[in-house]
Amino acid sequence: MLSRTEIRHIFNTSKNFNELFDAFNAAIHQGIDDVEIYRILFWNDSLGNDELILFGEKLAKEYRHIAYDVYMWLANIFEVLYGKKDNYELALIYFQKAAAIKPEQTDPYLDACDCYNPDIDIPPAKLLIEFLKIGLELVNSKKSIALRLAVLYQAIGENDLAEYYRVKFDEAGESPLK
């Protein structure tokens, strides 16, 4: 049986998928639900997106109470590491999964907008807008979402809708979180 220290060391240094997989299974079997240990694994540069998805999905399924953090972490990794290759699609998928778990949180919605490249419309503004419109109905702080909607509508040339969400932003009254 591997100790926590050994698992952490393998996650941090190993480039061998089988060794990482065995350490991951040992951690799950031992009931380790500390997301910080798994973050080390997720940043292991020997893992491709398929392996990250495998580990992340298994971890979220085993420990539902940390699934939001796992999905947000994966989204951020995909945004940073794979954004140029995958057009931020994986990042957006995992921000959506995080939002499904904690729909009242603004971070998944706002962080997804940070992926947007208006010059090449990636991820597609229409997808982000639909995601944000869902979030606007569910989040506790609507002001930040309304502002992002206004910016996205402006970016795609829908000025009337941009103005509509600017008004919603002004009406929200609370200070934006981001």
Side-chain angles (χ1 to χ4, degrees):
M1 180 181 280
L2 296 171
S3 70
R4 236 179 223 257
T5 303
E6 291 168 320
I7 291 169
R8 180 185 302 269
H9 178 72
I10 291 168
F11 285 176
N12 196 36
T13 62
S14 181
K15 303 299 180 199
N16 180 297
F17 176 77
N18 290 331
E19 187 176 24
L20 290 166
F21 186 78
D22 291 344
F24 178 80
N25 279 332
I28 295 289
H29 181 72
Q30 291 176 40
I32 298 173
D33 63 354
D34 178 5
V35 74
E36 296 303 320
I37 289 176
Y38 297 104
R39 285 181 181 173
I40 296 167
L41 172 65
F42 294 155
W43 278 115
N44 186 311
D45 62 5
S46 71
L47 297 177
N49 54 354
D50 290 338
E51 292 88 0
L52 289 168
I53 290 168
L54 171 81
F55 288 134
E57 291 290 339
K58 172 75 171 165
L59 186 60
K61 183 179 176 187
E62 289 291 323
Y63 301 115
R64 293 300 299 160
H65 64 283
I66 63 170
Y68 174 83
D69 292 325
V70 169
Y71 290 149
M72 286 296 290
W73 197 253
L74 283 174
N76 286 306
I77 289 170
F78 290 133
E79 179 183 3
V80 171
L81 297 180
Y82 298 104
K84 290 181 181 171
K85 287 192 273 186
D86 293 331
N87 300 328
Y88 297 110
E89 290 171 7
L90 284 172
L92 182 57
I93 287 168
Y94 280 94
F95 284 129
Q96 290 169 328
K97 285 182 175 232
I101 292 171
K102 291 187 179 181
E104 74 286 354
Q105 296 291 319
T106 57
D107 287 343
Y109 306 102
L110 299 178
D111 289 356
C113 289
D114 292 340
C115 296
Y116 182 62
N117 182 333
D119 295 330
I120 54 177
D121 194 37
I122 294 176
K126 298 245 184 221
L127 286 178
L128 286 172
I129 287 168
E130 291 308 310
F131 182 46
L132 288 175
K133 285 166 74 176
I134 291 166
L136 187 63
E137 299 301 316
L138 301 171
V139 297
N140 296 326
S141 175
K142 298 182 182 319
K143 189 165 186 148
S144 298
I145 303 292
L147 179 60
R148 295 294 180 99
L149 279 163
V151 169
L152 283 169
Y153 275 119
Q154 187 75 43
I156 63 171
E158 295 195 26
N159 297 329
D160 290 344
L161 285 168
E163 184 57 31
Y164 172 80
Y165 284 102
R166 273 192 210 89
V167 169
K168 279 212 170 286
F169 169 79
D170 290 337
E171 290 173 351
E174 75 263 8
S175 63
L177 296 175
K178 282 192 171 183

